[in-house]
Amino acid sequence: MNVEFVNPFITALTNVLKTMAQTELKAGKPKKKADAVARGDVSGLIGMVGPQVRGSFSLSFEAPLALAIMERMLGEQCTEINDDVTDMVGEITNMVTGGAKNDLSQKGYEFDMATPMVVSGKQHTITHKVDGPKIIMPFESDAGKAHLEICFENL
Amino acid sequence: MNVEFVNPFITALTNVLKTMAQTELKAGKPKKKADAVARGDVSGLIGMVGPQVRGSFSLSFEAPLALAIMERMLGEQCTEINDDVTDMVGEITNMVTGGAKNDLSQKGYEFDMATPMVVSGKQHTITHKVDGPKIIMPFESDAGKAHLEICFENL
């Protein structure tokens, strides 16, 4: 997988959280290893299908970070991952994927997005089952960690 | 959402588990309620995109059922949800969606499948974020429960 495919997702994620939730995400080192696992308490997942590629994208948050974004973005204080929080995570997942889609479209890579799903559950893991490389990207913030994972396979 | 969209997934799931893992799934009552939640220990998820529709599909298993399928299908005794089990759940998710896709294609509904993702984590929940109806279908078996959830929205 080309790094050209990954950067638009990273840029979209940091932009969305900065502008909508005044939260700075500091990118860590990307991991390519097959055994690296993204772990989180609430995650947004979305499938992508294009003429030449198909893949999947996930965005996992630790609970304290998800709750902080909720308060900063919507002014709503939540103490647990409720429906409002999963709605917000689904919306952020949509915005990030949509931003990356626009960016990649301008570079000649086209894909359509499926509808997002949100997983909630303490310390769950997500494994992307693709026949191709996967990239996990960790992020740090003042309120907790996030992980982005993205994979594409050629058709 | 038309019931025509749901039945092919139910048929494909019961067929796959019967033929590949000698496991009979007994379908319960479908739930349409917005607040119904599918809960499981390991789930396969897949996004779908077509010219007129897009949506998502998930298949959640209780851990004992997933481990029983693993043994019956591949002869492998596992005591926990490891990589082999998540591979199998991803494969079943692919087979079920692929079977439903063929069936729906013959009825004039076309969609492409994204790559599957597998979530692992005790009693996690999955929320499909679609602007349209969702159907949750519970199943009972000799080894534990499964839930199928499917949603489509019109573009």
Side-chain angles (χ1 to χ4, degrees):
Chain A
M1 183 167 51
N2 203 307
V3 69
E4 262 195 294
F5 263 88
V6 181
N7 285 338
F9 288 87
I10 297 172
T11 306
L13 173 61
T14 49
N15 283 348
V16 164
L17 286 198
K18 195 191 291 178
T19 54
M20 306 210 49
Q22 302 82 51
T23 299
E24 294 276 348
L25 286 188
K26 198 180 143 211
K29 285 211 170 134
K31 295 171 200 167
K32 270 194 185 178
K33 273 185 165 172
D35 59 349
V37 163
R39 205 175 281 270
D41 303 316
V42 59
S43 302
L45 300 86
I46 203 160
M48 298 169 289
V49 181
Q52 286 97 30
V53 293
R54 57 181 190 166
S56 54
F57 168 70
S58 66
L59 184 53
S60 298
F61 296 101
E62 289 182 343
L65 176 55
L67 298 176
I69 295 170
M70 191 70 193
E71 191 175 352
R72 293 169 191 175
M73 196 165 149
L74 300 167
E76 193 177 331
Q77 279 194 327
C78 298
T79 53
E80 50 166 18
I81 308 297
N82 60 19
D83 281 355
D84 290 344
V85 178
T86 65
D87 274 352
M88 178 212 64
V89 170
E91 200 45 55
I92 288 179
T93 307
N94 236 342
M95 284 189 281
V96 172
T97 315
K101 173 179 156 59
N102 286 343
D103 199 346
L104 286 166
S105 168
Q106 288 170 15
K107 290 176 179 151
Y109 302 109
E110 296 286 348
F111 62 85
D112 285 317
M113 292 155 55
T115 46
M117 296 167 271
V118 178
V119 173
S120 171
K122 203 161 170 48
Q123 288 281 297
H124 61 261
T125 61
I126 297 169
T127 323
H128 294 250
K129 302 290 179 187
V130 291
D131 185 14
K134 306 186 250 180
I135 291 192
I136 297 183
M137 187 86 189
F139 295 88
E140 302 264 357
S141 78
D142 62 331
K145 287 179 189 160
H147 279 93
L148 166 165
E149 186 161 354
I150 173 169
C151 343
F152 279 105
E153 66 182 25
N154 293 316
L155 288 178
Chain B
M1 186 167 51
N2 203 308
V3 69
E4 263 194 293
F5 263 90
V6 182
N7 284 338
F9 287 86
I10 297 172
T11 306
L13 172 61
T14 49
N15 283 348
V16 164
L17 286 198
K18 194 190 292 179
T19 53
M20 307 211 47
Q22 302 82 51
T23 299
E24 293 276 350
L25 285 188
K26 196 179 144 215
K29 286 216 170 127
K31 295 170 200 166
K32 271 193 183 178
K33 274 185 165 173
D35 59 348
V37 164
R39 205 174 280 271
D41 302 316
V42 58
S43 302
L45 300 86
I46 203 160
M48 300 169 289
V49 181
Q52 286 96 28
V53 293
R54 58 181 191 165
S56 53
F57 168 71
S58 66
L59 184 54
S60 298
F61 297 100
E62 289 182 342
L65 176 54
L67 298 176
I69 295 170
M70 191 71 194
E71 190 173 353
R72 293 169 190 175
M73 196 165 147
L74 300 168
E76 193 177 332
Q77 279 193 328
C78 298
T79 53
E80 50 167 16
I81 309 296
N82 59 19
D83 281 355
D84 290 345
V85 179
T86 66
D87 274 353
M88 176 213 66
V89 170
E91 200 45 56
I92 288 179
T93 307
N94 235 342
M95 283 190 282
V96 171
T97 316
K101 174 179 156 61
N102 286 343
D103 199 344
L104 286 167
S105 168
Q106 288 170 14
K107 291 176 178 151
Y109 302 107
E110 297 286 349
F111 62 86
D112 285 318
M113 291 154 55
T115 45
M117 297 167 271
V118 177
V119 173
S120 171
K122 201 160 171 52
Q123 288 281 295
H124 62 260
T125 61
I126 298 169
T127 323
H128 295 250
K129 302 291 180 186
V130 291
D131 186 14
K134 307 186 250 179
I135 291 191
I136 297 183
M137 188 85 187
F139 295 88
E140 302 266 356
S141 78
D142 62 330
K145 287 180 190 160
H147 279 93
L148 165 164
E149 186 161 355
I150 172 169
C151 341
F152 279 105
E153 66 182 24
N154 293 315
L155 289 177

